[in-house]
Amino acid sequence: MPDFDAEPEPAFDPAPKPDPFDFEPEPAPAPKVSERVRAAVEEEATERLVSSSTVESVGQNFQLLAHTVLSQNARTLEDLVKEMLRPMLKSWLDDNLPHMVERLVRVEIERVARGR
């Protein structure tokens, strides 16, 4: 047999295992907008029916109206809801509270009578 020197096998490091918690999803692709839609949006932005001074004037007038209404009539939505719910709550309590109290008192008397 011939005599030969065997080279040692090279040492390989095993490939690192991927970390399951180190996952970064690919970002969703941007939605494709047709050229016609894009042109319509750009045209709408450039062609307004009213000027910017008109928009500002209208906004100021609506703010003035809101301020006037709120300062003269300081009732809030919460006040209106309370006013509407008060008669309904009174009616419900009149119908149900005596029966609830009677039942709970009876249960408590039984508990005390048993010596707990």
Side-chain angles (χ1 to χ4, degrees):
M1 274 207 183
D3 193 21
F4 66 93
D5 291 333
E7 293 183 18
E9 291 188 31
F12 291 105
D13 291 333
K17 293 182 181 177
D19 185 7
F21 298 106
D22 190 26
F23 176 74
E24 293 183 23
E26 294 181 16
K32 295 182 180 179
V33 178
S34 71
E35 289 300 317
R36 188 171 53 150
V37 171
R38 181 174 293 141
V41 168
E42 290 174 1
E43 181 179 329
E44 181 181 327
T46 58
E47 285 187 30
R48 305 256 162 139
L49 292 177
V50 293
S51 67
S52 59
S53 62
T54 304
V55 171
E56 289 176 24
S57 174
V58 169
Q60 289 174 353
N61 285 316
F62 275 121
Q63 286 180 351
L64 177 64
L65 175 64
H67 178 68
T68 304
V69 168
L70 289 177
S71 65
Q72 289 180 358
N73 188 6
R75 293 175 65 186
T76 63
L77 181 59
E78 184 178 347
D79 295 333
L80 295 173
V81 170
K82 283 180 185 178
E83 185 179 308
M84 291 171 51
L85 285 178
R86 188 171 195 85
M88 289 189 280
L89 182 59
K90 183 183 181 323
S91 173
W92 188 90
L93 287 172
D94 288 343
D95 292 343
N96 296 300
L97 188 60
H99 303 294
M100 288 174 34
V101 170
E102 181 183 343
R103 181 175 50 85
L104 292 171
V105 167
R106 190 177 309 128
V107 168
E108 187 65 17
I109 289 172
E110 289 176 11
R111 186 186 70 80
V112 170
R114 281 186 258 161
R116 287 189 181 179

